[in-house]
DNA sequence: TGACTTAATGTACAAAGTACAATTACTCCC
DNA sequence: GGGAGTAATTGTACTTTGTACATTAAGTCA
């Protein structure tokens, strides 16, 4: 009755989108791998990768995602959203990744299935610092993501699609803008996430259905043009 | 550098929604577990469960879902859609499931992470027959799903939510109605999936944007009222 | 005070959503 | 053949939403 059963490694990978308001760019947080060793048979080229690592025994997937992100980047306190699992048997079998696996995994030939998470965050509220096998942490514009380790480019792509599909349900602006913001800031955010442009007047009409905006008794200061009205959010509306 | 690494079992679980047109019901396909053994220490109560089992070495998750469904129910040829992964460390540790695990799993204490799939299908086009550790296969109305093994009730719930969120994008009617159908049949389908009711006139207006309907030179026959116009689908529109 | 820059604002039109009821075409039964 | 029963068919008025589009206003700076 009992079949031979194979066991696998489970990992989590985190796609952290950082909103860079100054430059109105959407960036993704990557780690740069540490060189595994000096005397390797193959010359090893460190790669960029998503923060991700194996799940521990007795640890839920959600908890693992939070822990792994913290270990590799010292970033914590984010709400990570699970969106897809990748399990191609060959996803950790590519030549480019083998040296790294040999050095960092006790069982480098093991299959690894990964459960992926994403979140969107105001870039400046986190201060990533490399940890564990991350030599460095870097932000990269989502329009120019470099080649990544394993199947991580595919993961980033799927996360981006998913977040765009859900933007109007997710009230993402709530956590991505400062407490007081102008309508232009709100519009910039939506435009960069959706990679598009809107008409100002029409944008406000639409957005007011989803987000409850409160005009404040305060205006923008120090700009060399007509200062804009500041707003804050009331609450998240449900659909 | 290398951390102790734990390995896990990976399984797939399939939520097969069957559309029962006669009775306008939406049902879910369950297996009834075989009794593991006669001389068990605990009296074992067979449970209902989703069709699901461990993923094989060298097998993609998608392939595993297809294979497992076939082994347990002899159902094949369906397109399964991955929707979520469940990895609570305690999901296979409940008392009710332990006897079964002892008998069917070479490592019954192992943690099992499951990747879940769903699909919607016209109930009558498949003819489930039990296989492997399924003693029986049964359909159950999604409004009255019995207590299931492991965390399968939670999986069904999440699948139902997901399918409702996506119904207008998925063109599900295309595969769930016969080639020639009436507008009433189309409306019944949407109503049962969304568990709601629509106004006839308004429903047609709305649906014609998503589904391209072709009126045929044919009418319903053998009904004791005004016979309805038959339609077929042209193509799936993209959004 | 004038030049510069971006904010603020409204209207007409088109498209989509919604509420609502009378007539029609078939079958069955007498 | 006629009447009863049943569900199909059909349209309109109203509201809401989407969209295209350009002028005036309130600051800063030199």
């Amino acid at each position: 009755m009992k079949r031979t059963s194979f066991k696998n490694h489970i990992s989590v990978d985190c796609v952290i989108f950082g909103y860079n308001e100054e430059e109105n760019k959407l960036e993704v947080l990557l780690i740069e791998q540490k060189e595994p060793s000096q005397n390797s048979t193959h010359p090893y080229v460190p790669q960029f990768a998503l923060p991700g690592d194996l799940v521990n025994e007795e640890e839920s997937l959600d908890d693992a995602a939070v822990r792994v992100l913290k270990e590799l980047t010292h970033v914590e306190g984010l709400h990570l959203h699970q969106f897809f699992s990748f399990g191609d048997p060959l996803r950790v079998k590519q030549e480019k990744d083998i040296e790294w696996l040999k050095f960092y995994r006790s069982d480098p030939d093991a299959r690894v299935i990964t459960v992926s998470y994403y979140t969107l965050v105001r870039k400046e509220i986190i201060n990533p610092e490399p940890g564990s096998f991350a030599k460095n942490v870097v932000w990269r514009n989502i329009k120019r993501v470099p080649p990544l380790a394993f199947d991580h480019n595919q993961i980033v792509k799927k996360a981006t699609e998913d977040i765009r599909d859900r933007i109007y349900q997710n009230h993402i602006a709530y956590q991505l803008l400062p407490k007081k913001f102008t309508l232009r800031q709100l519009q910039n955010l939506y435009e960069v996430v959706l990679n598009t442009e809107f008409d100002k007047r029409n944008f406000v009409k639409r957005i007011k259905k989803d987000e409850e905006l409160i005009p404040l008794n305060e205006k923008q200061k120090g700009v060399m043009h007509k200062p804009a009205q500041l707003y804050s959010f009331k609450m998240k509306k449900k659909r």
Side-chain angles (χ1 to χ4, degrees), chain A residues 98-230:
Chain A
I98 286 174
E99 282 297 308
W100 187 91
L101 288 162
K102 276 190 197 160
F103 197 77
Y104 286 106
R105 295 280 162 84
S106 59
D107 184 355
D109 295 323
R111 179 172 178 185
V112 183
I113 283 147
T114 198
V115 182
S116 302
Y117 287 77
Y118 67 69
T119 196
L120 252 164
V121 71
R122 201 169 167 70
K123 190 181 154 186
E124 69 211 47
I125 71 153
I126 62 178
N127 184 26
E129 294 288 344
S132 185
F133 55 79
K135 182 174 73 178
N136 214 344
V137 287
V138 297
W139 290 103
R140 285 290 180 273
N141 194 315
I142 60 160
K143 293 182 178 178
R144 288 182 296 278
V145 178
L148 304 178
F150 311 111
D151 56 353
H152 288 189
N153 286 94
Q154 192 190 341
I155 297 177
V156 171
K157 181 158 177 274
K158 186 133 185 148
T160 308
E161 290 165 1
D162 205 275
I163 224 160
R164 284 183 178 152
D165 283 351
R166 295 172 191 271
I167 181 169
Y168 287 111
Q169 285 130 57
N170 280 0
H171 305 282
I172 58 165
Y174 192 78
Q175 39 187 344
L176 294 182
L177 291 181
K179 281 186 183 161
K180 303 171 180 180
F181 55 88
T182 66
L183 294 178
R184 168 50 61 186
Q185 286 177 291
L186 184 61
Q187 186 173 343
N188 282 343
L189 171 59
Y190 273 81
E191 287 181 346
V192 76
V193 172
L194 292 173
N195 193 31
T196 184
E197 293 189 8
F198 299 109
D199 175 90
K200 284 192 227 181
R201 291 159 289 191
N202 297 337
F203 173 76
V204 174
K205 279 191 221 165
R206 187 215 291 213
I207 212 66
K208 279 186 177 165
K209 276 180 303 174
D210 294 318
E211 312 277 3
E212 220 160 333
L213 299 177
I214 305 174
L216 305 174
N217 293 327
E218 219 176 321
K219 286 183 179 180
Q220 217 179 7
K221 280 185 181 172
V223 287
M224 51 179 157
H225 56 79
K226 176 174 175 179
Q229 172 72 244
L230 290 174

Side-chain angles (χ1 to χ4, degrees), chain A residues 2-184:
Chain A
K2 294 179 188 175
R3 273 209 268 100
T4 315
S5 66
F6 304 101
K7 292 180 123 187
N8 308 274
H9 284 157
I10 300 289
S11 67
V12 287
D13 282 302
C14 303
V15 185
I16 310 300
F17 291 106
Y19 178 48
N20 175 342
E21 196 188 321
E22 261 74 17
E23 307 176 40
N24 203 37
K25 291 191 305 194
L26 197 58
E27 300 178 305
V28 61
L29 183 61
L30 302 174
I31 63 167
E32 196 177 0
Q33 296 173 340
K34 271 187 187 160
E35 285 89 347
S37 70
Q38 271 37 19
N39 51 3
S40 169
T41 48
H42 291 62
Y44 183 74
V45 184
Q47 298 181 84
F48 292 107
L50 292 172
D53 201 0
L54 301 182
V55 174
N56 286 338
E57 216 177 1
E58 311 279 333
E59 181 184 49
S60 77
L61 299 173
D62 292 358
D63 289 349
V66 168
R67 173 186 56 79
V68 164
L69 180 64
K70 183 176 174 187
E71 285 177 0
L72 286 162
T73 69
H74 295 92
V75 167
E76 50 189 324
L78 305 186
H79 177 261
L80 298 167
H81 173 79
Q82 186 198 311
F83 71 99
F84 203 75
S85 298
F86 297 82
D88 188 323
L90 301 178
R91 63 179 290 279
V92 294
K93 307 292 183 185
Q94 293 168 84
E95 179 67 26
K96 61 171 184 164
D97 299 311
I98 286 174
E99 282 297 308
W100 187 91
L101 288 162
K102 276 190 197 160
F103 197 77
Y104 286 106
R105 295 280 162 84
S106 59
D107 184 355
D109 295 323
R111 179 172 178 185
V112 183
I113 283 147
T114 198
V115 182
S116 302
Y117 287 77
Y118 67 69
T119 196
L120 252 164
V121 71
R122 201 169 167 70
K123 190 181 154 186
E124 69 211 47
I125 71 153
I126 62 178
N127 184 26
E129 294 288 344
S132 185
F133 55 79
K135 182 174 73 178
N136 214 344
V137 287
V138 297
W139 290 103
R140 285 290 180 273
N141 194 315
I142 60 160
K143 293 182 178 178
R144 288 182 296 278
V145 178
L148 304 178
F150 311 111
D151 56 353
H152 288 189
N153 286 94
Q154 192 190 341
I155 297 177
V156 171
K157 181 158 177 274
K158 186 133 185 148
T160 308
E161 290 165 1
D162 205 275
I163 224 160
R164 284 183 178 152
D165 283 351
R166 295 172 191 271
I167 181 169
Y168 287 111
Q169 285 130 57
N170 280 0
H171 305 282
I172 58 165
Y174 192 78
Q175 39 187 344
L176 294 182
L177 291 181
K179 281 186 183 161
K180 303 171 180 180
F181 55 88
T182 66
L183 294 178
R184 168 50 61 186

